[in-house]
Amino acid sequence: MLSTARQADVVVIGAGIAGLAAAHHLTSAGLTVTVLEAGSRVGGRMATDTVDGFRLDHGPQLLNMSNPDLRRTPGLQGLRLRPFAPGALVRAGGRGYRVGDTRGARARAVLSAARTPFGDTLDRAGLGTALNRLAATSTARLLARPETTAAAALAARGFAPRLVDGFVRPLLNALLCDPDLTTSSRCADLVLRGFARGGTCLPAAGAATVPQRLAAALPPGTVRLGVRATDVAVNTVATDDRGTGQLPCRAVVVATGARAAGELLPGLRVPAFHPVTIVHHAAPRSPLREPLLVLDADRHGPVSHTLPASELDPSRAPSGRALVTSVLLGPQEDGRPDDIGVRKHLAELYETSTDDWEPLATHHDPEAVPVMAAPHDLRRPVRLLCGLYVCGDHRDTSTVQGALRSGRRAATHLLADFGFRPAATVPPHRIEDAA
Ligand SMILES: Cc1cc2nc3c(=O)[nH]c(=O)nc-3n(C[C@H](O)[C@H](O)[C@H](O)COP(=O)(O)OP(=O)(O)OC[C@H]3O[C@@H](n4cnc5c(N)ncnc54)[C@H](O)[C@@H]3O)c2cc1C
């Protein structure tokens, strides 16, 4: 495999987390790899800007605490995660309720609470039981269920309608970035199971720490920024960079995101996308004293969900100030929501004045999350030919976890094609739950 005529055995196109994960699995097996990245930084959709001491993610990147790929991708050792408090704060019927905390003493407190718009005690006990049962269900059993849309499955699962509208639907809207729940019910079950098993978290210090950590742990010189691949064959990659020109290699992994992959690999299906908008505000103090995800069940305003980001992760705001990050789902005219309307809605959700909140940044991505409509193949093929592979969230689930896993799958196929023995299973490394 190794050849002095080539600069690297494998060229990976795209330094998002899928490409970087694939590069790690390949270099761990002893191959030399060059990662080409068209942009000026690694990470693709996992990006964080620093503005006046605030760390502002381009997407909120809610991670699943039980995500095995965070623990198994070489290079992510020591990644620090900031977990949300269990459950969520739901705004329903004009009031805020703490819902869905199914653990320990808190669960009992929630389940025995007074009557709420979410139904009576039995309804809520039913939710706790259903979430606990889901947490214990194997992937094989989940995937054996009939596949329909998430919305249709919720109606058929026997949850009380008030619980669906008051908690499960807004939670799934947030986790799937899907306002109408057209997502495959199997994908929704997997995402809900992740929530039931371990809850959600954010990476400490911003989403970009995940790809930055991956890139930093690769051999020096592996990643080349500002080089766009323009053409691909199994043994060469053409680029738009004069200095780089054509790169001969033994194999290519296309890890660009769905649309660019469709351009480089004609015939590859390009999915539809869920557009997502993120709005960051600076506040004089955190509107919540607990790191809770806040969901809007009333659907009275533009915000789908919001979080007191610096309460979760104090490194996201300078001392003496707070960061609030909010998410709007669906298309956005001009990519810029009306800030007055957003702050008015946030004032209702947090039950506080937002008059002195200052807009810091807005990021709109019309192609944020590939749609996972039913029937959705959770393990789309990543091997196109011997020597040509494709990975990214569009080959798996449209999540950080799916992107990491697709990178691992592509690397595994490549290694098998070239006669490498599968690398010894990487023992899960420690991830710090920096609560
Ligand atoms: C607003 C938003 C919110 C999100 N929320 C969540 C969430 O809460 N939870 C969750 O799990 N996921 C979330 N996601 C999805 C998650 O970010 C993605 O699934 C994941 O980052 C995809 O990684 P990737 O490596 O597959 O693709 P990308 O991150 O898109 O990386 C592809 C890379 O390839 C590069 N590239 C493209 N074309 C070329 C070329 N020709 N040559 C060289 N390089 C090229 C790009 O510049 C990019 O860096 C969200 C995404 C967005 C945008």
Side-chain angles (χ1 to χ4, degrees), residues 13-19 36-39 43-46 58-62 177 227-229 255-257 260 264 276 278 365 368-369 392-393 398-400 403:
I13 304 173
I17 47 168
L36 303 179
E37 168 53 50
R45 278 168 277 167
M46 290 196 85
H58 289 204
Q61 309 297 354
L62 306 178
C177 295
V227 181
R228 179 177 296 278
T256 56
L264 287 170
V276 180
I278 310 303
D365 188 337
V369 176
D393 60 351
S398 306
T399 60
V400 168

Side-chain angles (χ1 to χ4, degrees), residues 161-184:
R162 287 172 297 190
L163 264 181
V164 170
D165 293 338
F167 175 61
V168 187
R169 176 184 284 279
L171 177 67
L172 278 176
N173 289 151
L175 297 177
L176 297 166
C177 295
D178 176 2
D180 301 317
L181 293 190
T182 55
T183 299
S184 146

Side-chain angles (χ1 to χ4, degrees), residues 130-401:
L131 286 178
N132 286 334
R133 200 183 299 133
L134 190 61
T137 307
S138 70
T139 304
R141 284 197 66 182
L142 282 189
L143 299 185
R145 290 176 171 179
E147 190 176 20
T148 174
T149 64
L154 277 183
R157 288 276 153 81
F159 288 132
R162 287 172 297 190
L163 264 181
V164 170
D165 293 338
F167 175 61
V168 187
R169 176 184 284 279
L171 177 67
L172 278 176
N173 289 151
L175 297 177
L176 297 166
C177 295
D178 176 2
D180 301 317
L181 293 190
T182 55
T183 299
S184 146
S185 54
R186 289 182 184 162
C187 301
D189 281 346
L190 287 172
V191 163
L192 204 55
R193 185 185 66 175
F195 178 85
R197 279 188 173 172
T200 44
C201 60
L202 295 181
T209 53
V210 178
Q212 283 167 358
R213 196 172 269 272
L214 285 171
L218 285 169
T222 299
V223 180
R224 293 204 207 158
L225 298 176
V227 181
R228 179 177 296 278
T230 53
D231 211 356
V232 175
V234 287
N235 57 0
T236 182
V237 174
T239 74
D240 68 354
D241 181 64
R242 278 213 193 140
T244 309
Q246 299 254 354
L247 280 177
C249 53
R250 296 290 298 272
V252 177
V253 180
V254 176
T256 56
R259 187 166 302 284
E263 284 161 14
L264 287 170
L265 303 166
L268 200 79
R269 193 179 72 84
V270 178
F273 297 90
H274 292 300
V276 180
T277 308
I278 310 303
V279 183
H280 296 284
H281 286 97
R285 68 201 74 79
S286 177
L288 283 182
R289 305 303 288 270
E290 257 193 295
L292 274 166
L293 184 64
V294 182
L295 304 169
D296 176 32
D298 287 338
R299 295 181 163 207
H300 279 173
V303 176
S304 153
H305 53 286
T306 174
L307 45 119
S310 54
E311 195 62 28
L312 226 75
D313 177 8
S315 79
R316 291 182 185 234
S319 166
R321 303 192 76 192
L323 175 66
V324 179
T325 297
S326 310
V327 180
L328 288 66
L329 302 180
Q332 203 60 241
E333 220 171 283
D334 303 333
R336 291 201 69 80
D338 161 41
D339 187 60
I340 295 176
V342 170
R343 272 192 290 142
K344 185 162 173 270
H345 193 196
L346 289 174
E348 285 172 21
L349 292 173
Y350 286 109
E351 297 184 29
T352 190
S353 168
T354 55
D355 290 348
D356 51 0
W357 288 19
E358 183 194 331
L360 288 169
T362 299
H363 294 284
H364 175 69
D365 188 337
E367 299 192 344
V369 176
V371 167
M372 297 185 281
H376 182 77
D377 183 355
L378 284 162
R379 303 285 179 270
R380 288 219 166 106
V382 290
R383 178 188 187 273
L384 303 180
L385 295 167
C386 178
L388 187 58
Y389 310 85
V390 58
C391 63
D393 60 351
H394 58 106
R395 312 311 296 165
D396 204 283
T397 55
S398 306
T399 60
V400 168
Q401 180 168 349

